[in-house]
Amino acid sequence: MCGDGLTPRAVNQLIRMGVDLKAPGWVRSRGMRWVIGGRQVQIDWPDLGRYPDFGLSRSRHDFDDILARHAVAAGARLATGVKVTGPVTDRAGRVTGVTTVTDGGEPSVHRAPIVIAADGASARLALAMGVERDKKRQVATAARRYYRSPDRSQEEYLELWADVRLPDSDRYLPGYGWIFPMGDGRVNVGLGGVGSRQHGNLELRATLTQWLARTPESWGLREENAEGPLRSAALPMGLNRRPLYTRGLLLVGDSAGMISPWTGEGIGQAMEAGEAAAEMVALALARPVGPGRERVLHHYPVEMNRRWGRYYRLGNVALDVLLKRSGFQSVLNGYVLGSPFLLNALARLLTNLTDDPSRDTIDHLLNGIVRLVPAPNTRRRR
């Protein structure tokens, strides 16, 4: 359950994996279009040396299947109709496999020298090992629905609305709304935001209905054009579960709370962490069982902290201080909207798209700001 939109950073992972992006079904995007207060601005994806200059859209129904088939072609063994029920541990408490049950109720045990938990926001394996979520970090909620909208389905920009109001309130949604083209006559329409103790949970269904009533009738974003129910999910953000490695278990993606606190994007982060985890596992398995292998595996949190630690820490602060209270409309003010430099800098900050070494002034600015942020600890004290 997600918005189906992929930023250039996520597209880069697909390219590195060798996924055929010229095959039918992929819809390219040129950039983002922000809508606020009757105004709209279009920001093209940056032309950088280490990332592609385009984004993509693809339904998760297709996307997940493509990744699974790609993994099988690379040698993975895929078991479907099987539910992982818990970890298997040895006497020292180290994970040595998982217990499973099939749709028919048949239990089984799968053993491995190293286990990677990519089991989503539920994080069942992590919880079973006592790796709890940091309650101080935010968990957002998102809801999406498909609509038949031939005109909007062919758009070249991922559209985001920063001025969505909560029902029966003068408050703005502490997040944003989106309309992403699917290229098949449909659009993925949704909302994401962060609740608070002061204002309670977000009424996303009512907020969506109120927001879509503002859109032009010709777009077709009405109940009679909806396909399927409104679906929602939790978005664990900001690296909110640590340690990322413990006793033979590595956490990847939503199970580790790797969703960006800036935008709520999680697909690219999950694939990037998956690649890093695979590299560490391959290096670890080249060593005999013992302290040497453990040193390699403990480097996985260090590597993810090197990539995202400061950037996520800054995003967590921005979320707590600004975005959670008034959403993106406070950031996209008239001064920012009127400045191409500030707009491009904001877009690249939100999507974590910079060259390093820096290529231009925006790179120097953003990379410099992130480097000034103290690096968080890689391990959670227990």
Side-chain angles (χ1 to χ4, degrees):
M1 201 299 296
C2 75
D4 298 334
L6 303 170
T7 65
R9 190 159 182 140
V11 174
N12 183 60
Q13 291 304 123
L14 294 175
I15 293 173
R16 291 176 62 81
M17 291 167 63
V19 174
D20 182 7
L21 302 182
K22 295 182 179 179
W26 296 102
V27 180
R28 291 200 176 197
S29 63
R30 291 179 54 184
M32 298 183 290
R33 178 190 296 119
W34 281 95
V35 180
I36 178 170
R39 298 182 62 181
Q40 55 181 264
V41 291
Q42 294 182 168
I43 311 167
D44 287 351
W45 299 120
D47 184 11
L48 303 174
R50 62 173 178 164
Y51 297 113
D53 62 351
F54 63 94
L56 291 170
S57 295
R58 191 75 187 248
S59 75
R60 286 297 294 271
H61 181 273
D62 297 335
F63 184 86
D64 291 1
D65 183 60
I66 289 170
L67 293 189
R69 287 190 283 108
H70 192 76
V72 170
R77 287 178 292 170
L78 176 66
T80 59
V82 178
K83 179 182 179 181
V84 173
T85 54
V88 175
T89 59
D90 60 17
R91 292 181 179 179
R94 180 183 175 84
V95 178
T96 58
V98 295
T99 56
T100 66
V101 62
T102 66
D103 289 342
E106 181 180 350
S108 184
V109 174
H110 299 261
R111 297 189 181 276
I114 302 169
V115 175
I116 297 176
D119 49 351
S122 63
R124 292 187 179 90
L125 284 180
L127 288 173
M129 294 298 294
V131 183
E132 299 286 342
R133 177 176 67 86
D134 183 353
K135 299 297 193 298
K136 296 179 181 179
R137 294 272 58 88
Q138 300 295 333
V139 176
T141 306
R144 70 99 176 100
R145 198 176 191 185
Y146 292 105
Y147 289 84
R148 296 185 301 277
S149 180
D151 291 342
R152 305 297 293 178
S153 182
Q154 302 299 323
E155 278 288 324
E156 294 184 305
Y157 290 85
L158 303 180
E159 187 161 292
L160 305 113
W161 290 55
D163 61 349
V164 177
R165 289 189 182 273
L166 297 173
D168 303 320
S169 171
D170 58 354
R171 291 185 62 237
Y172 289 100
L173 174 73
Y176 61 87
W178 70 79
I179 304 173
F180 291 170
M182 304 306 297
D184 58 1
R186 300 180 304 158
V187 290
N188 181 314
V189 179
L191 298 167
V194 182
S196 65
R197 293 180 180 177
Q198 179 181 0
H199 300 288
N201 295 328
L202 303 175
E203 298 179 18
L204 291 184
R205 181 180 294 274
T207 303
L208 181 70
T209 300
Q210 179 176 284
W211 167 46
L212 293 186
R214 294 170 49 194
T215 62
E217 192 79 29
S218 60
W219 290 8
L221 306 182
R222 302 293 186 267
E223 182 64 31
E224 61 270 19
N225 296 318
E227 288 195 355
L230 179 72
R231 297 191 183 279
S232 62
L235 306 178
M237 302 187 298
L239 286 171
N240 69 2
R241 197 179 299 275
R242 297 175 187 272
L244 299 182
Y245 171 73
T246 181
R247 294 174 287 164
L249 181 72
L250 289 92
L251 308 183
V252 166
D254 290 9
S255 68
M258 289 182 171
I259 291 175
S260 169
W262 293 96
T263 62
E265 180 190 15
I267 296 178
Q269 288 80 351
M271 290 191 293
E272 193 170 326
E275 181 183 27
E279 290 176 348
M280 295 300 168
V281 168
L283 184 60
L285 292 178
R287 298 191 178 196
V289 175
R293 178 179 290 187
E294 284 300 300
R295 277 195 296 273
V296 173
L297 294 173
H298 278 290
H299 190 68
Y300 170 65
V302 176
E303 172 60 18
M304 300 319 301
N305 193 59
R306 182 190 68 80
R307 297 189 189 200
W308 301 337
R310 290 180 168 88
Y311 174 72
Y312 272 34
R313 193 171 199 175
L314 182 62
N316 287 332
V317 172
L319 183 65
D320 288 339
V321 174
L322 189 63
L323 300 180
K324 186 172 67 173
R325 299 180 181 181
S326 52
F328 283 96
Q329 58 84 30
S330 61
V331 179
L332 291 165
N333 52 49
Y335 185 71
V336 173
L337 292 177
S339 170
F341 175 84
L342 292 177
L343 273 176
N344 280 283
L346 178 62
R348 285 159 68 172
L349 174 64
L350 293 176
T351 53
N352 199 13
L353 290 172
T354 59
D355 268 336
D356 193 7
S358 300
R359 178 184 63 92
D360 58 15
T361 304
I362 293 179
D363 283 348
H364 282 295
L365 174 65
L366 298 183
N367 291 336
I369 291 173
V370 171
R371 289 191 182 106
L372 289 174
V373 177
N377 295 326
T378 60
R379 291 188 180 187
R380 174 187 152 207
R381 294 181 180 179
R382 303 183 62 189

